[in-house]
């Protein structure tokens, strides 16, 4: 074979098998609550901050609590460190009610959209994030209707009309119930991007222990979904991959009295123990000598195991975040978001995302 032809074939093969270059800069999005030390936030490491939370009143209008204006002013001040930083008000969260009523009619949607836009303008924000958990589902006592499926889309359309060029995003799930009760294949058209909550796959509600934020399904619990399953469901709905943002957890979940001596995952337990900020995991658990760090290669996820007291902790750490960042780049997704900043005040995990995803 002539050398020129061989070289051309080699070049063509390499181009065909190499991953496509990113068509965008990756987002690094922090959910920030008022308890965070806001002035210390490494703004230069972030592209977006979602302030948590605003709420929906019984009258169907968005509102914020008395301490929020000061927090939002502090967040806006971070733009002196990073002028490109975008600040959004996240409305909702677990247990937040009255979304269903606000979305019910054209008049109620218009009222809600006007109130959201007024808050964004009053506090000089860059947009809004809607964290409705969840349309058409009961949640912790929240109102819900079958009509939420269509009304959620119409609510987002009204918000887009009022917000104009400002950012509009949502926090989403990837479970079957969430997709059955939303029009994800349609509503993404009104959104700049979608923050997929790929965590809490196991917790106090689970019958068995397990990873709460694995990238892939674990060989120990192959029937339990993982982050890649949720992302795949978004992709199959036709959502552009650059709009899909992978969620990671800056906290862990712990169980005690696990019925195991060697392998503690997917095992019965006596009681759920506690939610653990990453800073506590690093300063208490990893330094105690009681816990041994383990790595589940199938799930690309770490866990801690104290065989003496039979405690197990599921969490994200630098290694698992590097795996997730590589996954984001491999698929050409929109970036990574995390819940939430006060769990990692020294920004050890944020530093990993910054190193792996910033150009």
């Amino acid at each position: 074979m002539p050398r020129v032809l061989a070289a051309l074939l080699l070049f063509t093969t390499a181009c065909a098998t190499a991953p496509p270059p990113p068509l965008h800069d990756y987002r690094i999005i922090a959910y920030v609550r008022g308890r965070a030390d806001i002035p210390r936030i490494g703004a230069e490491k972030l592209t977006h901050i979602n302030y948590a939370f605003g709420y929906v009143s019984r009258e169907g209008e968005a509102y914020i609590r008395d301490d929020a204006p000061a927090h939002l002013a502090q967040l806006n001040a971070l733009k002196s460190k990073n002028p490109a930083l975008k600040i959004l008000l996240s409305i909702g969260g677990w247990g937040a009610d009255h979304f269903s009523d606000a979305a019910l009619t054209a008049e109620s949607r218009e009222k809600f959209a006007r109130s959201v836009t007024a808050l964004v303008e009053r506090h000089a924000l860059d947009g809004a994030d809607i964290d409705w958990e969840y349309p058409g589902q009961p949640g912790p006592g929240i109102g819900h209707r079958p009509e939420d499926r269509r009304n959620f889309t119409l609510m987002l359309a009204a918000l887009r009309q009022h917000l104009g060029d400002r950012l509009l995003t949502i926090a989403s799930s990837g479970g079957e119930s969430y997709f059955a009760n939303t029009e994800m294949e349609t509503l993404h058209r009104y959104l700049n991007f979608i923050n997929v909550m790929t965590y809490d796959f196991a917790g106090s509600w689970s019958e068995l222990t397990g990873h709460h934020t694995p990238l892939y399904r674990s060989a120990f619990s192959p029937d339990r979904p993982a982050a890649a399953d949720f992302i795949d469901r978004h992709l199959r709905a036709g959502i552009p991959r650059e709009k899909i943002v992978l969620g990671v957890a800056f906290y862990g979940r712990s169980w005690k009295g696990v019925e195991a001596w060697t392998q503690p995952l997917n095992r019965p337990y006596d009681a759920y123990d506690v939610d653990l900020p990453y800073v506590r995991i690093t300063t208490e658990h990893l330094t105690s000598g009681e816990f041994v760090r383990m790595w589940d290669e199938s799930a690309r996820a770490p866990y801690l195991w104290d065989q003496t007291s039979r405690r197990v902790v599921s969490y994200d750490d630098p290694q698992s975040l590097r795996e997730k960042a590589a996954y984001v780049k491999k698929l050409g997704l929109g970036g990574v978001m995390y819940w939430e900043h006060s769990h990692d005040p020294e920004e050890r995990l944020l530093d990993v995302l910054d190193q792996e995803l910033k150009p």
Side-chain angles (χ1 to χ4, degrees):
M1 181 182 295
R3 290 184 179 179
V4 174
L5 180 58
L8 180 60
L9 286 174
L10 181 62
F11 174 77
T12 303
T13 302
C15 290
T17 57
L23 302 177
H24 54 82
D25 291 335
Y26 297 108
R27 306 176 187 96
I28 302 178
I29 303 163
Y31 275 89
V32 174
R33 305 190 75 173
R35 64 192 179 194
D37 189 350
I38 294 175
R40 285 191 57 204
I41 291 175
E44 68 283 357
K45 306 171 190 176
L46 297 167
T47 61
H48 301 73
I49 290 177
N50 290 346
Y51 176 73
F53 284 108
Y55 302 93
V56 186
S57 70
R58 292 181 180 275
E59 295 72 33
E61 293 184 300
Y63 73 95
I64 54 177
R65 292 178 176 165
D66 293 342
D67 56 351
H71 298 153
L72 292 171
Q74 289 179 312
L75 290 170
N76 272 324
L78 294 175
K79 292 186 177 183
S80 63
K81 302 179 186 178
N82 178 7
L85 181 66
K86 305 299 183 184
I87 310 296
L88 293 83
L89 173 64
S90 184
I91 300 170
W94 182 244
D97 202 357
H98 310 305
F99 274 112
S100 185
D101 292 337
L104 185 59
T105 67
E107 293 76 15
S108 65
R109 293 189 290 269
E110 183 77 8
K111 182 179 182 180
F112 177 71
R114 285 199 305 268
S115 69
V116 172
T117 305
L119 282 174
V120 168
E121 292 177 345
R122 184 179 308 132
H123 298 283
L125 304 177
D126 297 292
D129 173 66
I130 304 301
D131 185 7
W132 181 352
E133 302 184 26
Y134 298 99
Q137 299 179 68
I142 68 169
H144 61 98
R145 298 175 172 88
E147 297 90 337
D148 291 346
R149 184 177 191 273
R150 180 59 180 155
N151 290 342
F152 186 32
T153 304
L154 297 174
M155 170 188 275
L156 294 175
L159 282 164
R160 170 50 67 206
Q161 181 179 3
H162 281 270
L163 288 169
D165 293 335
R166 298 181 183 91
L167 296 173
L168 177 60
T169 71
I170 64 169
S172 76
S173 175
E176 292 182 10
S177 295
Y178 185 81
F179 270 67
N181 285 281
T182 58
E183 298 177 333
M184 294 298 287
E185 69 283 355
T186 301
L187 62 79
H188 70 84
R189 300 169 189 169
Y190 303 110
L191 304 174
N192 294 91
F193 53 87
I194 296 170
N195 300 303
V196 188
M197 294 184 287
T198 45
Y199 37 70
D200 293 343
F201 291 106
S204 59
W205 56 90
S206 306
E207 293 184 1
L208 304 174
T209 64
H211 295 294
H212 96 87
T213 181
L215 178 55
Y216 300 110
R217 295 194 183 205
S218 172
F220 300 116
S221 51
D223 294 332
R224 180 175 285 166
D229 298 303
F230 276 23
I231 297 301
D232 181 64
R233 185 167 278 125
H234 283 72
L235 289 170
R236 286 189 282 111
I239 301 170
R241 61 188 63 239
E242 64 272 13
K243 281 190 174 185
I244 301 172
V245 176
L246 175 74
V248 301
F250 280 16
Y251 64 98
R253 293 192 174 277
S254 174
W255 297 263
K256 58 186 178 181
V258 180
E259 295 182 16
W261 292 108
T262 54
Q263 196 294 109
L265 297 175
N266 206 42
R267 300 293 302 169
Y269 60 94
D270 290 340
Y272 184 76
D273 190 11
V274 67
D275 295 352
L276 289 167
Y278 183 71
V279 65
R280 280 192 59 190
I281 293 173
T282 57
T283 58
E284 298 177 16
H285 292 65
L286 289 173
T287 60
S288 68
E290 299 172 345
F291 286 90
V292 176
R293 179 190 178 276
M294 314 289 281
W295 177 258
D296 182 347
E297 183 63 24
S298 60
R300 304 292 202 278
Y303 59 99
L304 302 178
W305 174 229
D306 176 0
Q307 184 170 312
T308 302
S309 61
R310 295 186 293 127
R311 291 179 294 167
V312 64
V313 178
S314 168
Y315 67 113
D316 258 328
D317 74 353
Q319 183 178 357
S320 66
L321 290 190
R322 283 190 287 270
E323 294 275 0
K324 290 178 176 180
Y327 174 84
V328 165
K329 290 188 283 189
K330 178 181 178 181
L331 269 63
L333 302 181
V336 169
M337 73 82 172
Y338 63 86
W339 178 270
E340 55 94 11
H341 191 82
S342 69
H343 294 327
D344 179 35
E346 301 303 318
E347 301 186 354
R348 297 182 185 183
L349 296 179
L350 177 55
D351 283 341
V352 175
L353 297 178
D354 179 54
Q355 293 159 10
E356 297 296 324
L357 293 175
K358 281 290 185 67

